[in-house]
């Protein structure tokens, strides 16, 4: 039986990104097959009820751990605080992990939800985690990004 793993839906070719596009990544498919894993597609922002396409968001302050703690902020380009939606999407993603027995997640780097090592804050790319990645880590789920796959090739 294949082990289930959460995977950012955009990496699997689903048009879930803020701009309505996908970020299909063949290395992800190859790795999943080679590791005999069953991908469970998730898009935290869609799970939060946000539309696709939707306004782009970035961190105004902090990162996902700070948002969970109440001290960070995810904002849309027009300046709207998106913390509640991003927290809802993170909680729903965690529920899916729990329902399906996922102990690992492969997430889209640089995303305000899914970023594992890097996020956008203001106009810069900085070290930090997205809201969903942070909540999964707190819950004891191992997270990695597609960038980690390229590092192991």
């Amino acid at each position: 039986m294949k082990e289930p793993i959460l995977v950012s839906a955009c990496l699997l070719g689903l048009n879930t990104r803020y701009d309505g596009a996908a970020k299909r990544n063949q290395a992800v498919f190859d790795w999943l097959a080679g590791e005999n894993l069953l991908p469970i597609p998730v898009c935290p922002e869609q799970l939060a009820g946000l539309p696709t396409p939707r306004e782009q968001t970035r961190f105004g302050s902090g990162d996902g751990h700070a948002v969970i703690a109440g001290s960070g902020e995810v904002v849309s380009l027009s300046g709207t605080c998106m913390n509640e939606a991003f927290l809802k999407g993170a909680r729903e993603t965690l529920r899916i992990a729990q329902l399906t027995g996922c102990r690992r997640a492969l997430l889209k780097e640089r995303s305000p939800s899914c970023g594992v090592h890097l996020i956008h804050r203001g106009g810069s790319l900085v070290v930090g985690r997205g809201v969903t990645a942070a909540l999964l880590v707190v819950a004891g789920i191992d997270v990695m990004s597609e960038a980690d796959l390229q590092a192991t090739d």
Side-chain angles (χ1 to χ4, degrees), residues 125-139:
L125 191 61
V126 299
V127 172
R129 284 204 174 104
V131 178
T132 296
L135 186 64
L136 293 176
V137 166
V138 168

Side-chain angles (χ1 to χ4, degrees), residues 36-61:
N36 198 34
L37 298 170
L38 174 66
I40 307 297
V42 291
C43 176
E45 293 164 32
Q46 284 186 340
L47 288 166
L50 296 175
T52 302
R54 58 191 164 273
E55 191 175 12
Q56 189 176 15
T57 56
R58 296 176 179 241
F59 284 89
S61 61

Side-chain angles (χ1 to χ4, degrees), residues 7 11-12 25-33 106 146 149-150:
V7 180
L11 292 174
L12 296 172
N25 186 310
Q26 188 59 45
V28 168
F29 284 92
D30 295 344
W31 183 78
L32 291 168
L106 176 58
E146 78 283 10
L149 297 181
Q150 276 110 31

Side-chain angles (χ1 to χ4, degrees), residues 12-141:
L12 296 172
L14 299 170
N15 296 323
T16 56
R17 283 175 38 95
Y18 75 92
D19 58 3
K23 279 288 189 177
R24 187 183 189 285
N25 186 310
Q26 188 59 45
V28 168
F29 284 92
D30 295 344
W31 183 78
L32 291 168
E35 297 290 317
N36 198 34
L37 298 170
L38 174 66
I40 307 297
V42 291
C43 176
E45 293 164 32
Q46 284 186 340
L47 288 166
L50 296 175
T52 302
R54 58 191 164 273
E55 191 175 12
Q56 189 176 15
T57 56
R58 296 176 179 241
F59 284 89
S61 61
D63 71 348
H65 289 289
V67 169
I68 292 167
S71 61
E73 186 176 43
V74 178
V75 294
S76 67
L77 290 184
S78 64
T80 302
C81 177
M82 301 296 291
N83 285 13
E84 285 309 310
F86 276 72
L87 287 166
K88 178 182 179 184
R91 288 190 297 266
E92 292 297 304
T93 301
L94 178 58
R95 283 188 61 205
I96 290 171
Q98 293 166 337
L99 288 168
T100 59
C102 291
R103 296 186 316 262
R104 296 195 277 170
L106 176 58
L107 304 174
K108 179 71 186 103
E109 195 65 88
R110 301 179 181 188
S111 158
S113 289
C114 296
V116 174
H117 307 290
L118 298 170
I119 55 165
H120 292 277
R121 186 181 312 124
S124 301
L125 191 61
V126 299
V127 172
R129 284 204 174 104
V131 178
T132 296
L135 186 64
L136 293 176
V137 166
V138 168
I141 294 174

